[in-house]
Amino acid sequence: MGKYNNMSWVLAFVGFMLLGGICKANGAIYNYDFVLREENFTKLCTTKSILTVNGSFPGPTITVRKGDTAFVNVHNQGLYGLTIHWHGVKNPRNPWSDGPENITQCPIPAGTNFTHEVIFSSEEGTLWWHAHSDWTRATVHGAIIILPALNTSYPFVTPDAQETLILGSWFKGDVNEIIEEALATGGDPNISDAFTINGEPGDLYDCSNETTYRWLVDYGKTYLLRVINAVMNEEHFFAIANHNLTVVAQDAAYIKPITTSYVMITPGQTMDILVTANQSPSHYYIASTSFVDGDVAFNNSTTTAILQYNGNYSAPSTIPLPNLPDHDDDTAAANFTTQVRALASEEHPISVPVNISHRLFITVSINERICPNSSCDGPDNNALAASLNNISFVTPSIDILQAYYGGINGVYTPNFPDKPPYFFNFTGLVQNNTIYPSFATKVKMIKYGKEVEIIFQGTSMIAAENHPMHLHGFSFYLVGTGSGNFNSTTSPKTYNLVDPPEVNTIGVPKKGWAAIRFVADNPGVWYMHCHLERHSSWGMNTVLIVRNGNTTETSILPPPAYMPPCSKS
Ligand SMILES: *[C@@H]1O[C@H](CO)[C@@H](O)[C@H](O)[C@H]1NC(C)=O
Ligand SMILES: *[C@@H]1O[C@H](CO)[C@@H](O)[C@H](O)[C@H]1NC(C)=O
Ligand SMILES: *[C@@H]1O[C@H](CO)[C@@H](O)[C@H](O)[C@H]1NC(C)=O
Ligand SMILES: *[C@@H]1O[C@H](CO)[C@@H](O)[C@H](O)[C@H]1NC(C)=O
Ligand SMILES: *[C@@H]1O[C@H](CO)[C@@H](O)[C@H](O)[C@H]1NC(C)=O
Ligand SMILES: *[C@@H]1O[C@H](CO)[C@@H](O)[C@H](O)[C@H]1NC(C)=O
Ligand SMILES: *[C@@H]1O[C@H](CO)[C@@H](O)[C@H](O)[C@H]1NC(C)=O
Ligand SMILES: *[C@@H]1O[C@H](CO)[C@@H](O)[C@H](O)[C@H]1NC(C)=O
Ligand SMILES: *[C@@H]1O[C@H](CO)[C@@H](O)[C@H](O)[C@H]1NC(C)=O
Ligand SMILES: *[C@@H]1O[C@H](CO)[C@@H](O)[C@H](O)[C@H]1NC(C)=O
Ligand SMILES: *[C@@H]1O[C@H](CO)[C@@H](O)[C@H](O)[C@H]1NC(C)=O
Ligand SMILES: *[C@@H]1O[C@H](CO)[C@@H](O)[C@H](O)[C@H]1NC(C)=O
Ligand SMILES: [Cu+2]
């Protein structure tokens, strides 16, 4: 945490003067410096150099209270340009700091710095930050802890202490080379070599015994455990042997407590979990493994850490492992996810839009791209692609925010459709001609203040799978999920409009649908994409542009004095 950067203070002051309704900037100001640099790590008996923030994997934690603002100056001492995103932070009116590459900014060139103004508003709980360029987020990520505002408290027993566990992916190879090669051949990228908990694979893998992460606890204490899924390409089941998990928040919003033996957490999601150390003092495995219900290649290994009680006792000869559901057990996944309900209390109310003024129906599909040289590694000798409403997103080389704000033509078109080109049996066996998407940079324009509903419809094109869809700039209410095709007569009757969870990432069930609602009250340019990294690389993305309202308080903040330049390419 630093003290400098005069411009930050000027901007903070201006922010104080301007911020109105949707954000009260009455919180504290923090300054962080992030130094991006290469660092060597040895895991699985192999040493490699990875890009890190401040030499650590995972990177440093940002801790604030609800409503605070953090200025994070990212100094890029790495080898290539990249960007950082504050996942789940709404950043009211301030898309300038959101981060996705060529959506809200161009990469921070190596050898330069860029200060993000990260404005916290309604979030409370756990979020995270990560690189948002190529596959760099594999190693460039860390936790964001948002404590209750001063003079307020948790809506549950005050924990004795807290702990953060970040689930990650470890590749022996260079992550950006892996995705570049996959895009060049058209096939699936290599699967990871291990999963990690706080950077360590755990002793079920070779060469990981001495470095297995240990969480030390005192008997009788209750801990607030913050779990972040930073895995690249797999959703996960997570559990602790012999210990119940009481989930109290998801994506930095409180939920009605769920006591369970395991959770299903998708890449992009975060969960706050109460864990009471009430078992005989000993060692217990914490374990996490893939939930993949599609016919796709995935890493089926299990990462572990050890929950270790303090005190004098002899270590067990065998450490108990928790029972995790089978990798393809979508019933177990749904059993957990369908229990999640917003807390919806007087102190933590929710406000679900009921009069929908803008409805989008979006198909979420894996597709094929015609192979330029007729020998690609994907299905039918074509290349793999992915789409939303049959449009495979093409990332521009000038950021969309700059193009929108500055009126630069030719960067995007404002015609992302409200529905797919055809309605057919999306979850059936017969494949329609939508197998080949179009490739374009289409964005959806939304008027300020509209009450929006998006129905994500998973399809069985190429490979049906659960897709964790993530929206920047908002949290949204998950009002319904179901299997098969969404039916506009019967499906809405199953909606939960009483206490739907308020989240930023949601797994659209395999061959099923998910319906979300939110008020478009955050003007800006906001990326929406699958958080399985390979699907995003294949084009399972789009952008929502929420126009300005009719007042200064409902309009995008002016850009900061400096934004990283877009290079000619
Ligand atoms: C990262 O390292 C820099 C330079 O060594 C230091 O000034 C800064 O405080 C560190 N940041 C964090 C978040 O630890
Ligand atoms: C990593 O190790 C390689 C080989 O030993 C060495 O050349 C390189 O300088 C190291 N990099 C860093 C950042 O320490
Ligand atoms: C950060 O970048 C700004 C804008 O390019 C530059 O003026 C400043 O000197 C840089 N500061 C540091 C500490 O590198
Ligand atoms: C890990 O190392 C310890 C100490 O060297 C040893 O006692 C233990 O058996 C090892 N465990 C495994 C799973 O290899
Ligand atoms: C876990 O929760 C279940 C259901 O609430 C309860 O029956 C069981 O005793 C709990 N187990 C532990 C170890 O606390
Ligand atoms: C896990 O996947 C590997 C291939 O990556 C396969 O050889 C192995 O049989 C699988 N194990 C299980 C338990 O499915
Ligand atoms: C799912 O929940 C149902 C009832 O709540 C239970 O009967 C079933 O065993 C559970 N299945 C799994 C895989 O947990
Ligand atoms: C972003 O734009 C720059 C040029 O400004 C280009 O070099 C880079 O490849 C683009 N990134 C992506 C992901 O397309
Ligand atoms: C869609 O196809 C699936 C699989 O063939 C079938 O089970 C389902 O009944 C079909 N749905 C409709 C509405 O035709
Ligand atoms: C796809 O579905 C549309 C609408 O039902 C239909 O017009 C079109 O012929 C279908 N294409 C194929 C290849 O089946
Ligand atoms: C929706 O469900 C109703 C009632 O079951 C049924 O009559 C109708 O055909 C369904 N619509 C579609 C498009 O499948
Ligand atoms: C400004 O927009 C709000 C809705 O966001 C609307 O209620 C109000 O009437 C508008 N005011 C003017 C002057 O257009
Ligand atoms: Cu996906």
Side-chain angles (χ1 to χ4, degrees):
M1 280 226 242
K3 46 316 357 167
Y4 71 90
N5 200 331
N6 291 333
M7 183 47 77
S8 298
W9 288 101
V10 171
L11 284 174
F13 181 70
V14 171
F16 264 87
M17 307 314 298
L18 290 178
L19 290 167
I22 47 173
C23 167
K24 299 209 172 16
N26 50 6
I29 306 266
Y30 304 81
N31 286 278
Y32 283 89
D33 285 287
F34 276 15
V35 178
L36 284 161
R37 60 179 170 83
E38 294 284 326
E39 182 76 24
N40 285 332
F41 282 86
T42 303
K43 295 189 197 300
L44 313 175
C45 309
T46 309
T47 300
K48 78 159 181 170
S49 171
I50 60 168
L51 191 64
T52 64
V53 169
N54 280 35
S56 66
F57 171 68
T61 299
I62 287 180
T63 304
V64 300
R65 288 185 182 277
K66 181 179 177 177
D68 290 346
T69 295
F71 287 91
V72 187
N73 193 348
V74 177
H75 306 261
N76 187 356
Q77 294 176 8
L79 305 170
Y80 48 87
L82 83 171
T83 68
I84 307 274
H85 166 58
W86 320 92
H87 181 112
V89 183
K90 296 178 193 77
N91 251 320
R93 305 170 51 208
N94 187 31
W96 305 106
S97 287
D98 192 50
E101 177 166 323
N102 298 4
I103 308 300
T104 63
Q105 69 171 88
C106 279
I108 305 166
T112 73
N113 72 92
F114 175 56
T115 300
H116 299 253
E117 179 182 8
V118 187
I119 304 168
F120 294 89
S121 53
S122 57
E123 307 87 0
E124 183 170 323
T126 308
L127 293 172
W128 59 303
W129 55 266
H130 62 79
H132 217 303
S133 298
D134 302 316
W135 276 25
T136 308
R137 82 165 172 84
T139 60
V140 178
H141 61 248
I144 299 178
I145 295 177
I146 308 145
L147 301 169
L150 284 174
N151 305 318
T152 69
S153 53
Y154 295 107
F156 43 78
V157 54
T158 301
D160 295 300
Q162 54 178 326
E163 172 73 6
T164 303
L165 297 179
I166 303 184
L167 312 177
S169 298
W170 186 262
F171 295 81
K172 286 183 180 170
D174 179 282
V175 282
N176 285 343
E177 280 172 18
I178 288 168
I179 184 56
E180 273 158 30
E181 190 198 325
L183 293 176
T185 64
D188 252 315
N190 291 349
I191 61 170
S192 61
D193 294 292
F195 295 115
T196 54
I197 295 178
N198 285 356
E200 298 298 345
D203 58 20
L204 303 187
Y205 295 94
D206 289 341
C207 317
S208 302
N209 183 1
E210 305 306 323
T211 57
T212 298
Y213 184 78
R214 283 167 196 266
W215 173 21
L216 301 177
V217 298
D218 292 327
Y219 179 85
K221 285 190 175 167
T222 294
Y223 295 82
L224 180 54
L225 173 64
R226 303 169 185 279
V227 180
I228 296 167
N229 188 343
V231 165
M232 295 295 278
N233 284 311
E234 291 96 348
E235 305 187 326
H236 263 227
F237 288 121
F238 170 94
I240 305 177
N242 298 37
H243 291 74
N244 279 334
L245 308 174
T246 300
V247 188
V248 291
Q250 185 174 324
D251 291 2
Y254 293 116
I255 65 169
K256 294 191 171 75
I258 300 168
T259 297
T260 176
S261 58
Y262 68 91
V263 301
M264 194 285 273
I265 183 166
T266 76
Q269 288 183 330
T270 53
M271 286 178 196
D272 294 9
I273 300 172
L274 294 174
V275 178
T276 301
N278 60 3
Q279 296 298 295
S280 355
S282 187
H283 297 181
Y284 301 88
Y285 272 125
I286 301 165
S288 196
T289 196
S290 295
F291 161 55
V292 177
D293 57 357
D295 186 16
V296 295
F298 69 99
N299 182 332
N300 60 15
S301 65
T302 301
T303 178
T304 55
I306 293 171
L307 177 74
Q308 180 172 327
Y309 282 66
N310 288 316
N312 292 320
Y313 57 88
S314 39
S317 50
T318 54
I319 303 175
L321 266 167
N323 288 319
L324 289 166
D326 290 343
H327 294 299
D328 62 351
D329 192 344
D330 39 25
T331 309
N335 265 11
F336 172 69
T337 56
T338 56
Q339 287 180 60
V340 181
R341 302 253 179 285
L343 182 58
S345 65
E346 214 165 284
E347 294 76 24
H348 299 280
I350 60 166
S351 163
V352 188
V354 284
N355 300 311
I356 297 304
S357 43
H358 203 125
R359 190 171 271 111
L360 286 106
F361 186 99
I362 300 182
T363 51
V364 183
S365 303
I366 303 296
N367 305 85
E368 293 180 23
R369 178 203 292 263
I370 301 287
C371 186
N373 56 15
S374 76
S375 64
C376 286
D377 288 350
D380 307 324
N381 291 328
N382 281 326
L384 283 157
S387 67
L388 297 175
N389 272 351
N390 228 37
I391 295 155
S392 191
F393 186 80
V394 176
T395 306
S397 53
I398 293 175
D399 62 276
I400 293 176
L401 174 57
Q402 178 186 174
Y404 166 66
Y405 196 84
I408 303 170
N409 288 326
V411 175
Y412 65 90
T413 55
N415 58 349
F416 183 84
D418 286 356
K419 55 185 172 56
Y422 304 113
F423 279 80
F424 57 101
N425 187 350
F426 297 115
T427 60
L429 301 171
V430 181
Q431 288 177 344
N432 197 273
N433 57 1
T434 52
I435 197 165
Y436 299 107
S438 57
F439 296 85
T441 310
K442 296 191 180 191
V443 314
K444 180 72 214 166
M445 306 298 299
I446 297 174
K447 285 193 179 137
Y448 180 87
K450 289 284 180 193
E451 296 182 307
V452 181
E453 177 175 279
I454 301 178
I455 295 144
F456 294 108
Q457 173 69 60
T459 76
S460 46
M461 208 81 70
I462 312 293
E465 201 181 338
N466 184 310
H467 298 282
M469 295 302 299
H470 171 54
L471 173 60
H472 292 213
F474 292 90
S475 49
F476 49 76
Y477 296 103
L478 175 68
V479 296
T481 56
S483 62
N485 297 305
F486 180 84
N487 180 312
S488 57
T489 310
T490 55
S491 299
K493 290 181 180 147
T494 67
Y495 281 2
N496 171 11
L497 300 177
V498 177
D499 57 1
E502 189 181 355
V503 294
N504 64 54
T505 306
I506 185 58
V508 178
K510 175 190 175 184
K511 295 190 192 182
W513 55 269
I516 67 168
R517 290 184 174 189
F518 60 95
V519 176
D521 58 1
N522 191 10
V525 170
W526 307 112
Y527 206 26
M528 186 166 79
H529 61 96
C530 181
H531 224 284
L532 299 183
E533 216 53 39
R534 67 188 192 286
H535 292 176
S536 183
S537 300
W538 292 337
M540 196 176 272
N541 322 303
T542 189
V543 168
L544 307 184
I545 296 186
V546 176
R547 294 182 187 278
N548 285 340
N550 53 21
T551 59
T552 308
E553 294 72 30
T554 56
S555 298
I556 294 181
L557 292 170
Y562 170 80
M563 288 294 293
C566 300
S567 60
K568 292 186 208 85
S569 62

